[in-house]
Amino acid sequence: MRVSMDIELKDTPGQLLCALTPISELRGNLKSIVHHHEERTPRGTIPVQLVFEAEPDNLDAIIDKLKKNGIGISRVDEKRLIEEGAVILIGHIVHTDIQDTINSIDRTGYAEVVDISLSMPHINTTSSASLKICAVGIKELHEAISILKNVAEKKDLLVVEPIRAEFS
């Protein structure tokens, strides 16, 4: 899971290390840090924004260790679904139960359809839909798209995936 966290540090040496150590000890992976040393919060502390990845089970322990280290936490935002992809479905999407198609992804527990844009020109013509899928990881995103392809095949729908260029 990706975590965005705003913390507040005292202006004393070693405070940043005190904030990063619990994340490291609990196998978190730091993605970004913005340290505003010249700014101060209303409490006189230095605002710092962290973005890191951590196992969901470790987040509470990280927060507890930060508090024990005297680090103020002003905001925590968890983002469980960190990988995203988009596909296009073409066919009689509405007539083949679009909700069932979406549910096939949502019920996995590791991926969700988070956005859909549907075009249905006339009731008896082919429609198209763009689906944005988010997942907990890249492997799970590929698995969700594979599930979608299987459902689409049974419903005689065409799945158009994005082109991925890989260079060595």
Side-chain angles (χ1 to χ4, degrees), residues 99-129:
Q99 186 63 51
D100 174 67
T101 304
I102 292 170
N103 287 345
S104 70
I105 303 298
D106 291 353
R107 71 175 151 250
T108 64
Y110 56 76
E112 296 175 5
V113 174
V114 297
D115 190 29
I116 182 169
S117 177
L118 178 68
S119 175
M120 188 173 148
H122 301 287
I123 197 161
N124 290 324
T125 60
T126 300
S127 54
S128 62

Side-chain angles (χ1 to χ4, degrees), residues 43-55:
R43 288 165 295 291
T45 56
I46 300 169
V48 176
Q49 284 101 28
L50 304 174
V51 176
F52 60 92
E53 291 178 355
E55 292 297 320

Side-chain angles (χ1 to χ4, degrees), residues 13-146:
Q15 283 294 291
L16 187 56
L17 183 60
C18 286
L20 298 178
T21 299
I23 296 168
S24 175
E25 289 175 348
L26 291 163
R27 305 185 50 82
N29 184 19
L30 189 64
K31 293 295 185 179
S32 100
I33 181 168
V34 179
H35 184 263
H36 300 280
H37 194 269
E38 301 307 315
E39 294 179 25
R40 295 293 183 268
T41 68
R43 288 165 295 291
T45 56
I46 300 169
V48 176
Q49 284 101 28
L50 304 174
V51 176
F52 60 92
E53 291 178 355
E55 292 297 320
D57 294 343
N58 289 345
L59 183 58
D60 288 339
I62 290 171
I63 290 170
D64 288 344
K65 284 188 172 206
L66 288 170
K67 288 178 180 176
K68 284 179 186 172
N69 286 353
I71 307 299
I73 301 171
S74 55
R75 184 188 63 83
V76 178
D77 181 29
E78 305 168 36
K79 187 174 181 186
R80 189 178 70 88
L81 305 175
I82 60 174
E83 294 293 336
E84 65 180 53
V87 297
I88 296 173
L89 292 178
I90 301 172
H92 292 285
I93 299 164
V94 176
H95 294 10
T96 58
D97 191 3
I98 185 69
Q99 186 63 51
D100 174 67
T101 304
I102 292 170
N103 287 345
S104 70
I105 303 298
D106 291 353
R107 71 175 151 250
T108 64
Y110 56 76
E112 296 175 5
V113 174
V114 297
D115 190 29
I116 182 169
S117 177
L118 178 68
S119 175
M120 188 173 148
H122 301 287
I123 197 161
N124 290 324
T125 60
T126 300
S127 54
S128 62
S130 169
L131 277 67
K132 181 177 172 185
I133 302 170
C134 290
V136 297
I138 194 71
K139 181 178 133 241
E140 292 81 1
L141 178 61
H142 290 301
E143 180 61 29
I145 292 172
S146 178

